[in-house]
Amino acid sequence: MTDLTSSFSEYEKIPLREYAERAYLDYSMYVVLDRALPHVGDGLKPVQRRIVYAMSELGLSARSKHKKSARTVGDVLGKFHPHGDSACYEAMVLMAQPFSFRYPLIDGQGNFGSPDDPKSFAAMRYTESRLAPYARSLLAELDMGTVDWQPNFDGTLKEPERLPARLPNLLLNGSTGIAVGMSTDIPPHNLNEVVSACVRLIEKPSTTVQELCEHIQGPDYPTGAEIITPRDDLAKIYESGNGSVKMRATWEKENAEIVVTALPHQVSPARVLEQIASQMRSKKLPMVEDLRDESDHENPTRLVIVPRSNRVDIEQLMNHLFATTDLERNYRVNLNVIGINGKPQVLNLRELLKQWLKFRLDTVTRRLEHRLDQVVDRLHILEGLLLAFLNIDEVIHIIRTEEEPKPALMDRFELTGTQAEAILELKLRNLARLEEMKIKGEQAELEEERQSLEVTLSSRQRLNTLIKKELLADAEKYGDERRSVLAEREAAQALKEEDLVPSEPATIILSQSGWVRAAKGHEIDPESLNFKAGDAYQDAARGRSNQQAVFLDSSGRAYALPAHNLPSARGLGEPLTSRFTTPEGARFLFALAGDAEQKIVLASSYGYGFVTALGHLHSRMKAGKAMLTLPPGSSPVSPAYIPSEQAETIVCVTSDGYLLAFPLAELPELSKGKGNKLINIPPKRLKSGEEHMIGMVVKDATGDILVWAGQRYLRMSSKDLDHYRGDRAKRGRKLPRGFQRVTRIELAND
């Protein structure tokens, strides 16, 4: 009782922090080493290793009959892996799915899931299984003294610490796992390519990762989808042991329809169809009319996408689908494994293969040494048997007359205990004269084998040659062609929202109170529409439904909305203040629309401005974007569109009838700001409010302009403007009498 109390008191004295740290460390090391990470030698996690070993112990080889999966799971749990049956069965199913494992270890019979839903497999009481032929590469040398054995969880049985893999299964089938503080994501690879790299590394140990990539071109998933990661990026992944691989579905055009023939690894066809259908329902994919899943036994993957018309750009549509659905997917690569030193580590391709070759060299050496011990022991016994046959009569006499024949035989013929025991166990039928010839023949064969084994074990070069021959033989037996095509492609880009909307003419109407609406077509007269009481027409812009509608307020801030999202002009519209947050006291003045590349001139009433692209005014922010910097007391003037690249002249006019025309090239192109002075107005007249710039237009060499003074206008051709031409920032010239109170300026629409 005293001893028990003292032992408890020792534990009570341990600080809680120290106890928690130790317990968590033990737990994390268990998860890392005994659950989540594969070993570099056989490429298996403990549960996978135990399943394969238990099936071999049950005699479920590739040539045997299938046996109920529940029987296998029961043996695994009862003998080696005391965990949940569902998790164990799921690990077993995964190794049987040809769409999950590149080289399946288990041959399943029954419902083992489908690419559409890998976890739709039947319960283990319904399915049957046995080992696949490839599993022999892991088990063939198990009984040849190649592995260390450890007690199972209750100490009643022995299980192998590792399986003596003849091939680098870690790279061939890959692995994924999440441990404590670390994880692993190893993609599968092609057997022929990996074996070729191993042979290269055996022949030239100084081979670099770049040279190994000449053999291992990239991962090889069980699906036929394309790996579109550039070769240089793949080489960097193999150099560092970290990175990501991008896979893209393969497709072809068939009678104006798009047919997807292969999906990325572990991508569900139903999931892809649902993603596309969801975009169609939300009207974000107007160019697709229909979807069909025509997959069957002959065509495991056949998804049909029907475009709405022949005018749809199929390449652009597929790029959008690649960017927005699982038709293109990224796969993380993290070559984190338990190395031959028993510690978790991230390895590059060369280090991983070198460690596996070291593991393979140790395995082959142990196998040969084990066989050499057997040969030597057998030769020792044969030597004793041959001596007995040469003195058969005396041997029989000793056995018949001596009470203890074994010591007598050992004394008489100088035999060892093993040899004497072998003589005593001889059957009468083996005393025939031909038996002596058989012993001598076997002795000669074994002696030759012993010499060969000793020569091989004494030479590293011969061991490497043997490993290389066995690798090539297994590649011939289990190897196949690459499935994942390597094809460098440009990164997929999702279509912008405006690209997904039908392109139709639209007129955006802005009211003085900041209400907005959009009408179909350009023929509508926006000023003739009805407005709510106390409101009136402010501005309008003609664009297209798939463009952005831009609004400029009195503070110089720009706001943007998709034109197709605006309310219909059949109603009164809605206030822009419900969509945007404007500075206090600011009001919306102008509406603009057009392509993002459309060039415009922004200017203030103080005569400062600059050239910019309409796209610079686009903003997703509710508070808009500060676009035009206004001098104190000024306000924006109506922006001027630059009609074409041939437009070369900008014409500015002030409220007092001063007009200046100068080359557009003299204005800077900015993304935002105040700009440069366009026309000179005396500062006193600006500050007093007596004069300001009314507006501006940009014209080419042939167009006319209209200068309005109330209800009257003055039409001016390019020749008429020659009188008003000058340098930027000059005062300009006075317009004729009657046009010295200008209200607006515009291009003539002939």
Side-chain angles (χ1 to χ4, degrees):
M1 188 66 179
T2 307
D3 294 338
L4 186 61
T5 305
S6 63
S7 63
F8 280 143
S9 64
E10 291 176 8
Y11 282 100
E12 288 172 359
K13 290 179 181 178
I14 297 177
L16 181 60
R17 177 179 176 180
E18 181 183 334
Y19 173 78
E21 286 180 355
R22 186 188 306 169
Y24 190 73
L25 181 61
D26 291 343
Y27 163 74
S28 61
M29 290 304 296
Y30 165 74
V31 173
V32 169
L33 300 178
D34 290 329
R35 290 190 69 175
L37 300 190
H39 190 272
V40 71
D42 57 12
L44 299 177
K45 301 178 188 178
V47 64
Q48 296 172 328
R49 187 179 301 118
R50 287 162 177 165
I51 291 171
V52 172
Y53 175 64
M55 292 184 74
S56 72
E57 288 296 287
L58 284 170
L60 297 177
S61 67
R63 297 181 180 179
S64 68
K65 290 180 64 177
H66 291 82
K67 191 170 287 188
K68 283 289 184 184
S69 300
R71 172 70 187 279
T72 300
V73 173
D75 260 39
V76 174
L77 299 185
K79 293 180 178 179
F80 309 112
H81 197 71
H83 296 277
D85 59 340
S86 58
C88 179
Y89 180 51
E90 188 171 334
M92 177 181 170
V93 167
L94 190 70
M95 292 190 287
Q97 292 176 337
F99 49 84
S100 295
F101 260 48
R102 181 63 177 82
Y103 300 95
L105 297 174
I106 294 173
D107 175 19
Q109 185 169 276
N111 179 10
F112 273 80
S114 66
D116 201 39
D117 185 4
K119 294 194 175 184
S120 62
F121 48 84
M124 57 185 166
R125 61 182 176 275
Y126 299 120
T127 62
E128 298 179 341
S129 57
R130 65 182 179 187
L131 290 171
Y134 171 78
R136 182 164 175 75
S137 67
L138 298 172
L139 297 163
E141 300 174 357
L142 189 60
D143 296 326
M144 298 181 182
T146 53
V147 297
D148 293 325
W149 297 78
Q150 63 185 10
N152 68 339
F153 63 90
D154 62 1
T156 58
L157 295 169
K158 294 285 188 181
E159 62 174 314
E161 292 184 3
R162 310 279 174 261
L163 294 183
R166 292 170 58 93
L167 291 166
N169 182 64
L170 179 66
L171 278 179
L172 302 185
N173 274 320
S175 184
T176 59
I178 300 175
V180 177
M182 64 179 68
S183 64
T184 183
D185 290 280
I186 303 172
H189 292 78
N190 184 268
L191 193 154
N192 290 331
E193 293 180 6
V194 173
V195 166
S196 177
C198 288
V199 170
R200 174 78 175 269
L201 200 55
I202 290 172
E203 293 175 346
K204 185 183 175 184
S206 61
T207 301
T208 64
V209 173
Q210 291 288 343
E211 291 171 336
L212 290 174
C213 287
E214 297 173 8
H215 303 270
I216 300 178
Q217 302 175 27
D220 186 22
Y221 292 90
T223 174
E226 296 178 340
I227 294 176
I228 63 171
T229 304
R231 295 288 182 91
D232 291 343
D233 291 348
L234 290 174
K236 291 177 182 176
I237 292 172
Y238 289 128
E239 187 74 55
S240 65
N242 280 294
S244 65
V245 173
K246 191 183 294 291
M247 286 196 81
R248 178 179 291 182
T250 56
W251 62 279
E252 56 192 30
K253 189 176 178 182
E254 235 181 63
N255 300 324
E257 296 179 341
I258 301 166
V259 179
V260 178
T261 55
L263 293 173
H265 183 48
Q266 292 181 334
V267 167
S268 164
R271 170 67 176 158
V272 170
L273 291 177
E274 173 56 32
Q275 289 173 332
I276 300 175
S278 175
Q279 293 188 45
M280 293 173 65
R281 285 194 298 270
S282 59
K283 298 182 180 180
K284 293 182 178 179
L285 208 58
M287 63 278 290
V288 175
E289 182 177 3
D290 192 21
L291 295 173
R292 296 195 304 273
D293 186 354
E294 297 182 355
S295 305
D296 54 28
H297 290 293
E298 292 184 4
N299 302 288
T301 302
R302 183 179 170 84
L303 307 182
V304 181
I305 303 171
V306 183
R308 188 168 293 278
S309 70
N310 293 331
R311 295 189 300 274
V312 173
D313 187 334
I314 291 181
E315 291 284 348
Q316 189 182 51
L317 169 60
M318 289 307 297
N319 268 333
H320 173 74
L321 293 178
F322 288 141
T324 58
T325 70
D326 284 346
L327 287 174
E328 182 175 299
R329 193 168 174 181
N330 275 337
Y331 297 88
R332 185 167 171 266
V333 177
N334 181 22
L335 305 183
N336 187 14
V337 300
I338 299 175
I340 55 176
N341 60 358
K343 298 178 181 179
Q345 52 204 277
V346 177
L347 305 174
N348 63 29
L349 180 62
R350 180 175 181 273
E351 292 168 344
L352 194 150
L353 288 178
K354 281 185 73 70
Q355 287 208 21
W356 183 83
L357 287 173
K358 175 67 168 60
F359 169 83
R360 183 62 188 152
L361 178 65
D362 293 343
T363 302
V364 171
T365 301
R366 292 181 64 169
R367 186 189 79 200
L368 296 181
E369 288 175 345
H370 178 74
R371 178 56 186 165
L372 180 59
D373 290 342
Q374 289 179 325
V375 169
V376 170
D377 290 344
R378 182 60 181 166
L379 282 172
H380 180 63
I381 291 173
L382 289 177
E383 184 182 351
L385 291 179
L386 189 59
L387 184 61
F389 271 94
L390 294 176
N391 300 277
I392 191 64
D393 293 334
E394 188 174 355
V395 168
I396 293 174
H397 177 73
I398 292 173
I399 293 173
R400 291 184 63 187
T401 57
E402 294 289 340
E403 290 184 5
E404 295 289 340
K406 183 176 178 179
L409 288 172
M410 293 171 63
D411 291 340
R412 172 65 185 84
F413 299 107
E414 297 182 353
L415 301 173
T416 64
T418 304
Q419 291 172 322
E421 193 65 38
I423 292 170
L424 292 172
E425 290 178 356
L426 274 175
K427 296 180 180 178
L428 289 175
R429 69 173 62 183
N430 293 335
L431 298 180
R433 290 188 57 82
L434 290 176
E435 196 66 28
E436 181 181 345
M437 302 300 295
K438 289 181 181 179
I439 291 174
K440 289 183 177 179
E442 183 183 358
Q443 197 173 32
E445 290 177 3
L446 290 177
E447 183 62 35
E448 183 179 350
E449 183 181 357
R450 182 184 66 80
Q451 293 177 3
S452 174
L453 289 170
E454 289 176 345
V455 170
T456 303
L457 285 168
S458 63
S459 170
R460 177 67 177 270
Q461 184 176 354
R462 287 178 181 269
L463 285 170
N464 286 338
T465 302
L466 177 61
I467 293 172
K468 184 168 66 173
K469 287 181 178 179
E470 291 176 350
L471 282 171
L472 294 173
D474 287 339
E476 182 71 24
K477 187 174 183 180
Y478 304 112
D480 57 5
E481 294 297 321
R482 166 175 279 277
R483 295 183 192 172
S484 299
V485 181
L486 293 168
E488 293 189 17
R489 308 280 188 196
E490 292 184 5
Q493 293 288 336
L495 292 173
K496 297 177 182 177
E497 188 175 1
E498 52 265 28
D499 296 331
L500 296 170
V501 175
S503 179
E504 300 172 345
T507 302
I508 294 95
I509 303 103
L510 177 67
S511 76
Q512 292 179 0
S513 297
W515 284 56
V516 68
R517 46 187 156 163
K520 290 185 178 180
H522 291 166
E523 296 77 18
I524 187 172
D525 179 9
E527 296 187 48
S528 65
L529 295 175
N530 292 326
F531 295 87
K532 66 185 183 71
D535 200 4
Y537 170 79
Q538 171 69 27
D539 195 23
R542 289 179 170 84
R544 305 195 73 82
S545 58
N546 63 340
Q547 295 174 341
Q548 293 280 311
V550 178
F551 306 96
L552 192 67
D553 72 4
S554 56
S555 70
R557 298 187 74 82
Y559 309 81
L561 282 175
H564 68 275
N565 282 346
L566 297 177
S568 171
R570 294 174 182 173
L572 296 176
E574 66 176 59
L576 284 175
T577 51
S578 66
R579 301 281 191 104
F580 304 120
T581 303
T582 58
E584 186 176 354
R587 52 185 290 265
F588 292 99
L589 297 179
F590 306 110
L592 300 99
D595 294 331
E597 295 78 20
Q598 170 69 52
K599 294 292 196 306
I600 61 172
V601 178
L602 292 181
S604 67
S605 59
Y606 274 30
Y608 290 88
F610 58 91
V611 176
T612 190
L614 192 57
H616 288 144
L617 280 73
H618 294 174
S619 171
R620 294 179 180 271
M621 304 295 292
K622 193 173 181 180
K625 176 182 180 181
M627 194 66 206
L628 181 63
T629 303
L630 298 171
S634 67
S635 62
V637 298
S638 180
Y641 289 89
I642 299 177
S644 66
E645 293 183 359
Q646 286 71 40
E648 56 186 23
T649 302
I650 180 169
V651 183
C652 305
V653 65
T654 72
S655 57
D656 275 10
Y658 284 89
L659 189 142
L660 174 68
F662 63 89
L664 179 65
E666 293 184 12
L667 267 188
E669 184 169 340
L670 306 173
S671 60
K672 62 179 181 178
K674 177 181 177 181
N676 291 0
K677 182 175 285 189
L678 307 180
I679 187 169
N680 186 26
I681 303 173
K684 289 184 179 180
R685 296 185 64 80
L686 280 175
K687 292 179 180 179
S688 64
E690 297 177 44
E691 185 180 2
H692 59 274
M693 191 174 84
I694 286 292
M696 65 214 163
V697 293
V698 179
K699 65 181 293 294
D700 55 25
T702 58
D704 293 351
I705 65 170
L706 303 178
V707 180
W708 291 80
Q711 298 298 317
R712 301 173 58 201
Y713 69 84
L714 175 66
R715 190 182 188 102
M716 304 180 71
S717 66
S718 296
K719 186 176 181 181
D720 297 331
L721 287 174
D722 288 344
H723 177 67
Y724 297 91
R725 293 187 184 277
D727 295 330
R728 180 184 63 79
K730 297 298 183 182
R731 179 64 169 152
R733 291 178 180 268
K734 193 86 169 176
L735 287 167
R737 180 176 298 179
F739 291 93
Q740 296 177 2
R741 284 290 176 266
V742 177
T743 54
R744 75 178 190 272
I745 182 172
E746 64 185 14
L747 292 173
N749 295 320
D750 293 336

